[in-house]
Amino acid sequence: MLKLSERMLMAAKMVRSGKIAADIGTDHAYLPAWLVLNNICPSALACDVRKGPLDNARKTVELYGIENKITLRLSDGFDEISPDEAQDFIMCGMGGTLMEELVSRTHWLKDESKRLIVQPQSHSEDIRRFFVRNGFEILFEDACTDGGKLYCAMAAEYTGKIIKKPISYIYSGELSKCRKPEARLMLENTASRLKTKLDAAKNHGTAEDAEYLEKVITELEATINEMQTDG
Ligand SMILES: C[S@@+](CC[C@H](N)C(=O)[O-])C[C@H]1O[C@@H](n2cnc3c(N)ncnc32)[C@H](O)[C@@H]1O
């Protein structure tokens, strides 16, 4: 049976049962294959911008004999996907900046029936900022360790309501409500990264940048102090 890495499993568990999923940047198509093999999704799309990864995906699909359940698609982001082809859209292992770019140019994702599941490899604040500014609600986040590295993933849905959040929210999101020690560790690492940026801003940046970072760090540290973790 196909076994997913902890990182991908964390994102796969956010897919709603019975929905058709589309995995953007699928590479080996492990995630959509796992979703159909475990009867979570009746079918799925495995999409990638490059032919090489799609060839990897084809091998996985053939190995597990799920050709009738997985559609392979060469697509830059969501460009070659029709809005009615899937309900849950997953992006794993890409940077948050690229995720933001791909989602922001796909206006049909602003649909209350659709769910976006993202596992940013870096710059998670970019995709959170996009969600917050564009009427998407981050429903929940999760964190895990995989191969000695920390990862987070989140599920978001469009509501059309733009709710004012604290300035540090783009760094903490709903991770602050996750009770796993990994979530707290991720936020501590983020605070320490921001402190390094603050030092740089104090030395060579503008007073405005330094003031902004100071506020974010103060808020973030308060959030971390209030977090309740299991174990
Ligand atoms: C680091 S791999 C991640 C693979 C898998 N999702 C995972 O989490 O292990 C990134 C994949 O995204 C694909 N990719 C990069 N930019 C893309 C884009 N604009 N549209 C679709 N796929 C893209 C790459 O070709 C590559 O296969």
Side-chain angles (χ1 to χ4, degrees), residues 64-98:
Y64 291 98
I66 46 177
E67 293 90 335
N68 58 339
K69 292 190 171 176
I70 303 259
T71 303
L72 302 172
R73 181 80 47 86
L74 201 59
S75 176
D76 185 357
F78 301 83
D79 292 359
E80 304 305 323
I81 304 171
S82 301
D84 56 353
E85 281 189 294
Q87 295 88 44
D88 285 19
F89 298 85
I90 309 137
M91 286 189 284
C92 285
M94 295 177 188
T97 315
L98 175 61

Side-chain angles (χ1 to χ4, degrees), residues 165-204:
K165 299 279 187 189
I167 52 165
S168 62
Y169 185 80
I170 60 166
Y171 294 99
S172 57
E174 297 298 316
L175 260 189
S176 59
K177 297 198 188 115
C178 175
R179 297 180 67 96
K180 287 192 193 163
E182 288 90 342
R184 188 192 184 96
L185 213 54
M186 276 205 99
L187 295 191
E188 285 170 351
N189 290 349
T190 303
S192 126
R193 183 166 52 86
L194 290 172
K195 280 181 187 164
T196 309
K197 273 182 95 173
L198 173 61
D199 287 342
K202 277 182 177 165
N203 289 326
H204 339 277

Side-chain angles (χ1 to χ4, degrees), residues 7-8 24-27 48-50 53 75-77 92-94 98 102 119:
R7 174 181 64 82
M8 276 196 270
I24 316 296
T26 197
D27 198 357
D48 208 285
V49 72
R50 294 187 297 127
S75 176
D76 185 357
C92 285
M94 295 177 188
L98 175 61
L102 300 180
Q119 180 273 302

Side-chain angles (χ1 to χ4, degrees), residues 133-152:
R133 288 187 179 167
N134 290 278
F136 288 82
E137 182 188 357
I138 302 173
L139 305 174
F140 47 84
E141 298 201 27
D142 198 0
C144 75
T145 313
D146 193 342
K149 284 191 184 162
L150 282 167
Y151 297 98
C152 70

